[in-house]
Amino acid sequence: MDSKKFGEFIATMRKEKGWTQAELARKLNVTDKTVSRWERGLGFPDINTIKPLADALEVSVLEIMQSEKEPQEEIPKNKATEVVDNMISLVVYHREIERRNIFISVISVTSIVFLIFLIDLMHWELFIFVCMPFVFLAIGIVLIVFSIHRRRMKLSCFVTLILGILALLFPLIICLLLFFAFALGGPVPT
């Protein structure tokens, strides 16, 4: 999209309405400096502002994106607006997914670094018998809750549920090992 062409189109549409930059800005809840920047070709509106801008100027979102008026015979205004609205919704959805993935990545890396430092502070045997059951318990609970969430959304949840159950079995096995070790005489200090 050409910023100069876009700016000229916005200015032309605004002037056809007989509005000042400040009046258009008020309708869009932006500053008049922002509208001035658009019209001078120094930037574009935020993706969430494109639909209100098209509505204010009484043009389709497609016309805003192309920076030119479309003859009515070619594309119905409602159809083009609907298509671009779907595209905008898709972009917003992808941004949310991207934010979620970044959050999960940060939590995962932080957890791994924390576990590495914890292993460094403890002997690995102590870490396996004391810390790992709690780690697997937390992982199991998270996976089971996630599988329930997926089930409610009518998505496949079988693998997640099985992994959650297996993760919950690890602390149980460690507890049973320790119980039977001590019941049978256990390790005797020398």
Side-chain angles (χ1 to χ4, degrees):
M1 201 156 79
D2 180 28
S3 61
K4 293 287 185 192
K5 183 179 176 186
F6 177 82
E8 290 171 5
F9 180 74
I10 298 300
T12 304
M13 293 292 101
R14 176 184 58 81
K15 290 174 185 172
E16 281 182 11
K17 298 276 183 209
W19 295 339
T20 64
Q21 289 179 345
E23 289 173 320
L24 178 59
R26 260 194 307 278
K27 293 180 183 302
L28 299 173
N29 294 322
V30 296
T31 65
D32 55 342
K33 292 177 184 174
T34 303
V35 173
S36 174
R37 269 195 2 255
W38 298 341
E39 290 185 0
R40 289 181 291 145
L42 300 177
F44 294 104
D46 182 58
I47 195 158
N48 296 322
T49 309
I50 291 176
K51 173 100 170 85
L53 177 61
D55 291 342
L57 296 175
E58 297 179 349
V59 295
S60 69
V61 175
L62 183 62
E63 290 171 323
I64 290 283
M65 299 296 280
Q66 291 180 341
S67 302
E68 61 186 29
K69 292 283 268 176
E70 288 290 325
Q72 204 60 6
E73 305 89 58
E74 290 184 25
I75 300 173
K77 188 175 176 180
N78 294 342
K79 186 68 173 172
T81 302
E82 180 183 334
V83 168
V84 176
D85 282 348
N86 291 340
M87 182 188 67
I88 290 170
S89 298
L90 185 64
V91 168
V92 170
Y93 173 74
H94 284 291
R95 280 185 181 173
E96 291 173 3
I97 288 177
E98 186 175 274
R99 286 185 189 127
R100 186 194 71 199
N101 289 343
I102 289 171
F103 175 75
I104 290 171
S105 298
V106 167
I107 294 296
S108 299
V109 168
T110 304
S111 299
I112 290 170
V113 169
F114 174 76
L115 288 175
I116 289 171
F117 280 117
L118 197 58
I119 291 171
D120 190 44
L121 289 173
M122 308 171 94
H123 292 292
W124 68 271
E125 299 92 358
L126 186 61
F127 177 79
I128 289 175
F129 285 107
V130 175
C131 295
M132 285 306 285
F134 291 109
V135 170
F136 274 89
L137 181 66
I139 290 171
I141 290 171
V142 167
L143 287 174
I144 288 175
V145 168
F146 185 67
S147 69
I148 292 170
H149 173 71
R150 287 183 60 86
R151 176 71 176 175
R152 286 185 182 159
M153 295 188 69
K154 297 184 178 169
L155 298 171
S156 173
C157 64
F158 182 74
V159 173
T160 311
L161 183 63
I162 295 299
L163 289 174
I165 291 170
L166 290 175
L168 287 177
L169 285 176
F170 181 80
L172 181 65
I173 291 170
I174 294 295
C175 289
L176 288 174
L177 273 171
L178 291 174
F179 174 77
F180 284 117
F182 288 113
L184 297 173
V188 179
T190 54

